[in-house]
Amino acid sequence: MTGRAARTVKAGNQASAGELLELVRSGRATTRGALQQATGLSRATVGQRLDRLFRAGWLREGAGGPVDSPLGGRPSITLEFDDEHAVVLAADLDTRHARAAVVTLTGDVLAEHAGLLVIDEGPEAVLGELGRWFAELLEKSGRGAEAVCGIGLAVPGPVDIDTGRVVQPPIMPGWDGYDIRGRLGRAFAEHTGLGPGSRVPVLVDNDANLMAYGEQRAGYPDCSAFALVKVSTGIGAGMVVGGAIYRGIDGGAGDIGHIRVGADALCRCGSYGCLAAVASGGAVARRLAEAGVRAASGSDVRDLLTAGHPEAAALAREAGRQVGDVLATVVTLLNPGVLMIAGDLAGTPFLTGVRELLYQRALPRSTAHLDVVTSRLGERAGLVGAGALVVEYLYAPERVEERLAALGV
């Protein structure tokens, strides 16, 4: 498998069209003969089920593959997932900025926009503006609203994955329990002219989760335990285990920014001593402001670090040491193969501080095969992850069957 949790394909006549599509998408079986061998289906049954996928526009024939028989003969025609039949809309919200894009089904960005969008203004205004961005991006990409198969949204707070609602988010005032899916779906329909009757699936997840998902699939598909820590205005972690996002029982996994570290600083969650209160981009910005340096958020700290500001670098390294101390426990518990540092503070000073404390405090066995790295996808990681979340949801075998039936094929 390439980054997805392995799914069991039923043998015999139980293997569905959706499971055949999964075999093709994963690369495990990409010819008719290989599909017969993997499923035990007859040639005629494979042909019938593939025909449904062709009629839906989800499969296409590629170039001829190698000749399997030593006696020669015609090369096998390969099958490919057709990533041009639809697009996904993806957005990644931070506390003061957002990024949105039109993404192909295989993760390529067709059109993108980033701009100021303050999450404190509340879900009604923010999601309404996102709907406008989406309409403009579709026009820019040359794709119509009818080509959109789903919308993925990354938010900086814990999410109940079943409802798509954030649950007691410390840095998202006014969003607790709000119907994000419904509002974003309506905003998309209003701004694209699809009308209130349109039903485009909207999936919502935590930003660190989706960044981890995007980064793991794009750069570390064979890593079975992958962890990403996002350090921006707040601090959060995302984990991909066995190819799937690990969320815990109600979406609270990875909320390491609110682990108590013994300091007296007041956190935005209302508690004292949280890691985010002393080591996040927001905390570093506050300390810089107290020293007379203009900084109000993690993005301001990032700009100062890029410019080589010495005091910002010193504080970022100190913050990295504090986060590294916590990550020693995370690494010992999870034993990941890759630990990725991402977000506004993810530069050399912060990473140096993380490594200093992590390798000092963690057991040698926990770090012997650990790679501590920085982001490969950069600011697009959340977008790529949000797009992948939608695709994996819509093209899961059981959902493929429902969608084919709805299409009448």
mmCIF file of all heavy atoms in Angstrom, residues 18 52 58 393-394 396-409:
data_model
loop_
_atom_site.group_PDB
_atom_site.id
_atom_site.type_symbol
_atom_site.label_atom_id
_atom_site.label_comp_id
_atom_site.label_asym_id
_atom_site.label_seq_id
_atom_site.Cartn_x
_atom_site.Cartn_y
_atom_site.Cartn_z
ATOM 1 N N GLY A 18 -15.990 -1.565 -6.123
ATOM 2 C CA GLY A 18 -15.217 -0.662 -5.279
ATOM 3 C C GLY A 18 -13.897 -1.267 -4.850
ATOM 4 O O GLY A 18 -12.876 -0.580 -4.774
ATOM 5 N N ARG A 52 -18.590 -0.899 -15.031
ATOM 6 C CA ARG A 52 -19.279 0.100 -14.215
ATOM 7 C C ARG A 52 -18.352 1.270 -13.888
ATOM 8 O O ARG A 52 -18.759 2.437 -13.923
ATOM 9 C CB ARG A 52 -19.789 -0.532 -12.914
ATOM 10 C CG ARG A 52 -20.804 -1.641 -13.101
ATOM 11 C CD ARG A 52 -21.181 -2.235 -11.759
ATOM 12 N NE ARG A 52 -21.927 -1.288 -10.935
ATOM 13 C CZ ARG A 52 -22.041 -1.398 -9.622
ATOM 14 N NH1 ARG A 52 -21.423 -2.383 -8.971
ATOM 15 N NH2 ARG A 52 -22.745 -0.518 -8.944
ATOM 16 N N TRP A 58 -14.298 6.745 -13.800
ATOM 17 C CA TRP A 58 -13.312 6.673 -12.723
ATOM 18 C C TRP A 58 -12.074 5.875 -13.104
ATOM 19 O O TRP A 58 -11.054 5.945 -12.407
ATOM 20 C CB TRP A 58 -13.935 6.065 -11.468
ATOM 21 C CG TRP A 58 -15.073 6.880 -10.928
ATOM 22 C CD1 TRP A 58 -15.467 8.129 -11.327
ATOM 23 C CD2 TRP A 58 -15.971 6.500 -9.895
ATOM 24 N NE1 TRP A 58 -16.550 8.549 -10.605
ATOM 25 C CE2 TRP A 58 -16.896 7.562 -9.711
ATOM 26 C CE3 TRP A 58 -16.108 5.360 -9.097
ATOM 27 C CZ2 TRP A 58 -17.919 7.521 -8.770
ATOM 28 C CZ3 TRP A 58 -17.120 5.314 -8.159
ATOM 29 C CH2 TRP A 58 -18.019 6.395 -7.997
ATOM 30 N N TYR A 393 -12.116 9.078 1.484
ATOM 31 C CA TYR A 393 -13.504 8.895 1.923
ATOM 32 C C TYR A 393 -14.405 8.515 0.753
ATOM 33 O O TYR A 393 -15.168 7.545 0.829
ATOM 34 C CB TYR A 393 -13.996 10.180 2.583
ATOM 35 C CG TYR A 393 -15.480 10.201 2.891
ATOM 36 C CD1 TYR A 393 -15.988 9.573 4.030
ATOM 37 C CD2 TYR A 393 -16.376 10.845 2.041
ATOM 38 C CE1 TYR A 393 -17.346 9.586 4.310
ATOM 39 C CE2 TYR A 393 -17.731 10.867 2.315
ATOM 40 C CZ TYR A 393 -18.216 10.241 3.446
ATOM 41 O OH TYR A 393 -19.563 10.250 3.715
ATOM 42 N N LEU A 394 -14.315 9.261 -0.338
ATOM 43 C CA LEU A 394 -15.238 9.066 -1.459
ATOM 44 C C LEU A 394 -14.961 7.805 -2.252
ATOM 45 O O LEU A 394 -15.877 7.243 -2.862
ATOM 46 C CB LEU A 394 -15.188 10.280 -2.393
ATOM 47 C CG LEU A 394 -15.786 11.573 -1.855
ATOM 48 C CD1 LEU A 394 -15.580 12.703 -2.849
ATOM 49 C CD2 LEU A 394 -17.265 11.403 -1.542
ATOM 50 N N ALA A 396 -13.453 4.972 -1.003
ATOM 51 C CA ALA A 396 -13.408 3.756 -0.198
ATOM 52 C C ALA A 396 -14.375 2.748 -0.827
ATOM 53 O O ALA A 396 -15.420 3.125 -1.355
ATOM 54 C CB ALA A 396 -13.815 4.056 1.244
ATOM 55 N N PRO A 397 -14.032 1.452 -0.844
ATOM 56 C CA PRO A 397 -14.842 0.468 -1.554
ATOM 57 C C PRO A 397 -16.340 0.521 -1.260
ATOM 58 O O PRO A 397 -17.161 0.480 -2.175
ATOM 59 C CB PRO A 397 -14.229 -0.862 -1.108
ATOM 60 C CG PRO A 397 -12.797 -0.527 -0.869
ATOM 61 C CD PRO A 397 -12.814 0.854 -0.270
ATOM 62 N N GLU A 398 -16.695 0.629 0.028
ATOM 63 C CA GLU A 398 -18.125 0.627 0.362
ATOM 64 C C GLU A 398 -18.829 1.866 -0.168
ATOM 65 O O GLU A 398 -20.013 1.826 -0.561
ATOM 66 C CB GLU A 398 -18.327 0.490 1.880
ATOM 67 C CG GLU A 398 -17.797 1.645 2.719
ATOM 68 C CD GLU A 398 -16.310 1.578 3.025
ATOM 69 O OE1 GLU A 398 -15.611 0.689 2.472
ATOM 70 O OE2 GLU A 398 -15.845 2.426 3.817
ATOM 71 N N ARG A 399 -18.116 3.002 -0.209
ATOM 72 C CA ARG A 399 -18.745 4.229 -0.693
ATOM 73 C C ARG A 399 -18.797 4.259 -2.215
ATOM 74 O O ARG A 399 -19.684 4.848 -2.811
ATOM 75 C CB ARG A 399 -17.997 5.450 -0.149
ATOM 76 C CG ARG A 399 -18.862 6.686 -0.100
ATOM 77 C CD ARG A 399 -18.474 7.590 1.039
ATOM 78 N NE ARG A 399 -18.846 7.042 2.328
ATOM 79 C CZ ARG A 399 -17.985 6.516 3.191
ATOM 80 N NH1 ARG A 399 -16.710 6.469 2.916
ATOM 81 N NH2 ARG A 399 -18.405 6.050 4.349
ATOM 82 N N VAL A 400 -17.841 3.609 -2.857
ATOM 83 C CA VAL A 400 -17.878 3.489 -4.314
ATOM 84 C C VAL A 400 -19.169 2.798 -4.748
ATOM 85 O O VAL A 400 -19.836 3.225 -5.698
ATOM 86 C CB VAL A 400 -16.641 2.713 -4.821
ATOM 87 C CG1 VAL A 400 -16.854 2.230 -6.255
ATOM 88 C CG2 VAL A 400 -15.401 3.597 -4.748
ATOM 89 N N GLU A 401 -19.545 1.755 -4.046
ATOM 90 C CA GLU A 401 -20.769 1.029 -4.394
ATOM 91 C C GLU A 401 -21.993 1.936 -4.260
ATOM 92 O O GLU A 401 -22.880 1.938 -5.121
ATOM 93 C CB GLU A 401 -20.914 -0.218 -3.503
ATOM 94 C CG GLU A 401 -19.884 -1.287 -3.774
ATOM 95 C CD GLU A 401 -19.899 -1.743 -5.227
ATOM 96 O OE1 GLU A 401 -20.991 -2.026 -5.765
ATOM 97 O OE2 GLU A 401 -18.816 -1.790 -5.839
ATOM 98 N N GLU A 402 -22.042 2.713 -3.195
ATOM 99 C CA GLU A 402 -23.178 3.634 -2.999
ATOM 100 C C GLU A 402 -23.228 4.679 -4.108
ATOM 101 O O GLU A 402 -24.290 4.970 -4.649
ATOM 102 C CB GLU A 402 -23.033 4.346 -1.639
ATOM 103 C CG GLU A 402 -23.116 3.445 -0.428
ATOM 104 C CD GLU A 402 -22.769 4.193 0.854
ATOM 105 O OE1 GLU A 402 -22.563 5.433 0.778
ATOM 106 O OE2 GLU A 402 -22.705 3.552 1.923
ATOM 107 N N ARG A 403 -22.053 5.220 -4.464
ATOM 108 C CA ARG A 403 -22.010 6.270 -5.481
ATOM 109 C C ARG A 403 -22.323 5.729 -6.885
ATOM 110 O O ARG A 403 -22.994 6.402 -7.684
ATOM 111 C CB ARG A 403 -20.645 6.956 -5.462
ATOM 112 C CG ARG A 403 -20.356 7.685 -4.146
ATOM 113 C CD ARG A 403 -18.952 8.253 -4.128
ATOM 114 N NE ARG A 403 -18.811 9.308 -5.143
ATOM 115 C CZ ARG A 403 -17.649 9.642 -5.693
ATOM 116 N NH1 ARG A 403 -16.546 8.996 -5.354
ATOM 117 N NH2 ARG A 403 -17.601 10.616 -6.592
ATOM 118 N N LEU A 404 -21.855 4.517 -7.184
ATOM 119 C CA LEU A 404 -22.179 3.920 -8.481
ATOM 120 C C LEU A 404 -23.670 3.679 -8.601
ATOM 121 O O LEU A 404 -24.282 3.925 -9.654
ATOM 122 C CB LEU A 404 -21.416 2.596 -8.649
ATOM 123 C CG LEU A 404 -19.906 2.692 -8.886
ATOM 124 C CD1 LEU A 404 -19.296 1.309 -8.900
ATOM 125 C CD2 LEU A 404 -19.589 3.430 -10.186
ATOM 126 N N ALA A 405 -24.278 3.211 -7.512
ATOM 127 C CA ALA A 405 -25.721 2.992 -7.531
ATOM 128 C C ALA A 405 -26.467 4.308 -7.741
ATOM 129 O O ALA A 405 -27.445 4.372 -8.499
ATOM 130 C CB ALA A 405 -26.169 2.324 -6.232
ATOM 131 N N ALA A 406 -25.991 5.374 -7.099
ATOM 132 C CA ALA A 406 -26.635 6.685 -7.252
ATOM 133 C C ALA A 406 -26.495 7.211 -8.682
ATOM 134 O O ALA A 406 -27.385 7.908 -9.174
ATOM 135 C CB ALA A 406 -26.027 7.678 -6.271
ATOM 136 N N LEU A 407 -25.390 6.847 -9.333
ATOM 137 C CA LEU A 407 -25.182 7.258 -10.727
ATOM 138 C C LEU A 407 -25.952 6.397 -11.722
ATOM 139 O O LEU A 407 -26.039 6.713 -12.904
ATOM 140 C CB LEU A 407 -23.681 7.212 -11.075
ATOM 141 C CG LEU A 407 -22.785 8.265 -10.424
ATOM 142 C CD1 LEU A 407 -21.310 7.929 -10.696
ATOM 143 C CD2 LEU A 407 -23.119 9.651 -10.942
ATOM 144 N N GLY A 408 -26.465 5.276 -11.216
ATOM 145 C CA GLY A 408 -27.225 4.377 -12.090
ATOM 146 C C GLY A 408 -26.353 3.536 -12.976
ATOM 147 O O GLY A 408 -26.798 3.093 -14.057
ATOM 148 N N VAL A 409 -25.130 3.251 -12.558
ATOM 149 C CA VAL A 409 -24.236 2.400 -13.361
ATOM 150 C C VAL A 409 -23.856 1.147 -12.583
ATOM 151 O O VAL A 409 -24.029 1.074 -11.389
ATOM 152 C CB VAL A 409 -22.957 3.156 -13.779
ATOM 153 C CG1 VAL A 409 -23.332 4.355 -14.631
ATOM 154 C CG2 VAL A 409 -22.139 3.595 -12.584
#
